[in-house]
């Protein structure tokens, strides 16, 4: 029985029919080459996880249990993998988290296999085998959205906000931002934005307000391992603080990453820990961050945050004007708006995901 997704139980008779033809289980370390061959053949040729074992291990290797975070269905007769479902537990970056949140990743059933429900048995296996409190899938396909609705998941759309460089005359990455450049920016007295290196971040108390805001599904350790210790990307950490050197309060922290295209750079906020309302106190410093790096804009992808909160900080919702384009794909670059839908289910009836660009596998390299 699936503790998290009880609606899967109504398909139990279908799932049991597969048992005579399929072995379903987690991908052992000695099976990973078969799983990668499946991804390369049936998901995407030359996929970055196939090309980079270092990235694969960082994102999917469960060292404690000697396996990878993929569930596979292997045909007993042929020995071939016919279906695969990847997942990324938040505990990948902090094994001591209070509750287990899991993000969905690659989910594929071979197109040449007539086995309706084979993909579902992988979801049933994962949620029955692990003590998952919350499951979130981000940037889902239409097929995934249909399947998730059938199993009782809620569906939502993430929002994209931008803070445009007030001094640029033209934009080459984004489009349509010219009339949304706010020239006058001021900090709230006593507030400032500071950049933290890994040592300064590690020195922050675990009990600080920003980390309390992301518990029980994330933590300071999670952020440290997810961003400061990424195998390929370089992230910057910024802290919103109140007070002077003698008495300073940490109000929020966020992580950013540069994304270049068309001879320009933008700055993407990939993770925010704290109350988004704190951003309104450092509007001048945010503008200074843009100017110092000559970035076209800073953007935020999130969900279940009030538009007015981010507007007060100088951020504009991309949907404000149909002429605005804030690209999401940079490897390769695609100058288009990309709908970002998500699904979720949780044992907590009050759970609402406040998503980040860095969640799931949404901010991983596509080429290394």
């Amino acid at each position: 029985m699936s503790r998290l997704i009880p609606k899967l139980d109504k398909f139990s008779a279908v799932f049991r029919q597969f048992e005579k033809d399929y072995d379903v289980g987690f991908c052992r370390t000695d099976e990973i080459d078969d799983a990668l061959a499946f991804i390369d053949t049936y998901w995407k040729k030359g996929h970055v996880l196939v090309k980079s074992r270092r990235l694969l291990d960082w994102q999917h290797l469960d060292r404690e249990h000697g396996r990878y975070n993929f569930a596979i269905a292997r045909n007993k007769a042929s020995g071939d993998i016919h279906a695969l479902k990847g997942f990324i537990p938040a505990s990948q970056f902090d094994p001591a988290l209070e509750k287990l949140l899991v993000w969905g990743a690659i989910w594929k059933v071979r197109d040449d296999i007539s086995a309706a429900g084979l993909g579902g048995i992988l979801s049933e296996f994962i949620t029955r085998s692990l003590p998952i409190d919350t499951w979130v899938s981000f940037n889902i396909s239409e097929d995934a959205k249909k399947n998730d609705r059938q199993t009782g998941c809620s569906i939502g759309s993430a929002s994209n906000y931008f803070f445009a460089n007030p001094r640029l005359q033209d934009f080459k990455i984004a489009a349509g931002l010219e009339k949304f450049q706010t020239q006058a920016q001021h900090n709230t007295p006593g507030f400032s934005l500071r950049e933290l290196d890994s040592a300064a971040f590690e020195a922050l108390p675990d009990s600080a307000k920003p980390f309390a805001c992301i518990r029980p599904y994330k933590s300071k350790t999670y952020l440290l391992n997810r961003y400061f210790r990424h195998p390929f990307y370089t992230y910057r950490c910024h802290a919103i603080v109140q007070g002077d050197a003698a008495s300073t309060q940490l109000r929020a922290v966020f992580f950013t990453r540069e994304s270049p295209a068309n001879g320009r750079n933008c700055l993407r906020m990939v993770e925010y820990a704290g109350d988004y309302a704190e951003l309104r106190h450092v509007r001048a410093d945010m503008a200074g961050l843009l100017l110092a790096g000559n970035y076209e804009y800073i953007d935020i992808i999130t969900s279940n945050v009030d538009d007015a909160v981010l507007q007060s900080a100088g951020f504009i919702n991309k949907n404000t004007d149909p002429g605005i384009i804030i690209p999401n794909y940079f490897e390769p670059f695609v100058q288009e708006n990309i709908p970002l839908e998500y699904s979720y289910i949780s044992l907590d009836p009050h759970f609402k995901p406040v998503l980040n660009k860095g969640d799931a596998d949404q901010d991983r390299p596509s080429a290394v």
Side-chain angles (χ1 to χ4, degrees):
M1 178 178 179
S2 172
R3 182 177 74 116
L4 180 66
I5 312 178
K7 283 192 174 183
L8 282 172
D9 296 340
K10 69 181 180 180
F11 302 107
S12 59
V14 176
F15 295 157
R16 299 293 78 82
Q17 290 176 7
F18 286 118
E19 291 180 350
K20 68 179 188 299
D21 296 320
Y22 289 94
D23 288 319
V24 175
F26 293 115
C27 178
R28 302 187 310 268
T29 53
D30 63 344
E31 296 180 295
I32 191 59
D33 288 342
D34 289 347
L36 294 179
F38 177 92
I39 292 170
D40 196 46
T41 303
Y42 300 105
W43 179 254
K44 182 181 180 181
K45 189 70 178 174
H47 192 278
V48 67
L49 294 182
V50 176
K51 289 187 170 184
S52 174
R53 187 61 62 95
R54 185 180 175 196
L55 181 63
L56 172 74
D57 287 357
W58 180 81
Q59 185 168 290
H60 284 285
L61 178 60
D62 180 346
R63 288 182 170 82
E64 179 182 355
H65 296 100
R67 66 193 187 203
Y68 283 85
N69 289 322
F70 297 104
I72 57 175
R74 190 184 288 274
N75 184 264
K76 292 180 179 180
S78 68
D80 295 334
I81 295 174
H82 283 184
L84 175 147
K85 186 177 180 75
F87 59 98
I88 305 169
S91 58
Q92 184 78 355
F93 306 110
D94 182 2
L97 288 172
E98 300 167 40
K99 292 189 176 182
L100 182 57
L101 180 148
V102 170
W103 288 291
I106 295 171
W107 187 11
K108 178 64 180 177
V109 178
R110 277 176 49 171
D111 295 331
D112 59 339
I113 299 299
S114 298
L118 187 56
I121 197 173
L122 298 180
S123 296
E124 192 266 351
F125 171 77
I126 296 168
T127 57
R128 174 168 49 83
S129 302
L130 300 176
I132 302 171
D133 294 280
T134 297
W135 182 287
V136 180
S137 295
F138 195 11
N139 198 5
I140 55 176
S141 66
E142 288 300 316
D143 285 344
K145 186 163 60 172
K146 179 182 176 181
N147 290 331
D148 289 348
R149 280 203 177 101
Q150 288 178 340
T151 55
C153 293
S154 299
I155 308 294
S157 294
S159 299
N160 200 174
Y161 299 86
F162 66 90
F163 188 120
N165 189 320
R167 293 187 185 172
L168 285 182
Q169 301 301 311
D170 65 331
F171 293 86
K172 296 181 179 180
I173 297 177
L177 307 193
E178 288 79 6
K179 59 183 178 181
F180 297 100
Q181 295 167 269
T182 303
Q183 300 298 322
Q185 306 288 354
H186 304 283
N187 277 11
T188 301
F191 284 81
S192 61
L193 192 64
R194 299 180 187 175
E195 189 160 351
L196 304 178
D197 61 17
S198 61
F201 182 84
E202 285 193 77
L204 297 173
D206 291 352
S207 59
K209 179 182 176 182
F211 310 130
C213 288
I214 60 176
R215 284 196 291 266
Y217 298 111
K218 294 178 180 178
S219 65
K220 187 183 85 170
T221 298
Y222 169 94
L223 299 177
L224 179 70
N225 288 323
R226 170 63 183 85
Y227 295 105
F228 281 111
R229 296 173 180 167
H230 194 281
F232 292 101
Y233 281 158
T234 299
Y235 294 97
R236 297 167 63 187
C237 179
H238 313 265
I240 299 174
V241 298
Q242 181 182 16
D244 53 28
S247 177
T248 301
Q249 288 186 327
L250 180 68
R251 309 294 296 187
V253 295
F254 59 90
F255 290 81
T256 60
R257 183 175 65 82
E258 292 185 4
S259 288
N262 292 344
R264 289 275 184 83
N265 263 314
C266 66
L267 195 62
R268 313 206 68 186
M269 189 183 296
V270 296
E271 183 84 38
Y272 190 92
D275 186 341
Y276 272 105
E278 302 291 353
L279 280 169
R280 74 183 188 275
H281 297 302
V282 290
R283 289 181 61 153
D285 284 354
M286 293 294 285
L289 190 61
L290 281 170
L291 297 174
N294 198 32
Y295 302 117
E296 286 197 0
Y297 59 88
I298 302 172
D299 81 313
I300 299 172
I301 291 174
T302 191
S303 59
N304 296 299
V305 177
D306 193 331
D307 263 13
V309 170
L310 286 167
Q311 286 172 3
S312 71
F315 284 85
I316 308 297
N317 192 315
K318 177 183 69 180
N319 294 333
T320 299
D321 187 287
I324 294 172
I325 296 176
I326 303 293
N328 190 44
Y329 295 153
F330 283 77
E331 299 177 18
F333 178 65
V334 180
Q335 194 179 43
E336 295 177 1
N337 289 326
I338 306 297
L340 293 170
E341 293 188 290
Y342 61 88
S343 65
Y344 68 96
I345 192 165
S346 179
L347 296 177
D348 178 357
H350 304 295
F351 176 81
K352 294 284 185 183
V354 180
L355 295 172
N356 292 274
K357 166 68 176 167
D359 289 341
D361 58 356
Q362 291 303 293
D363 199 53
R364 62 148 175 78
S366 294
V368 293

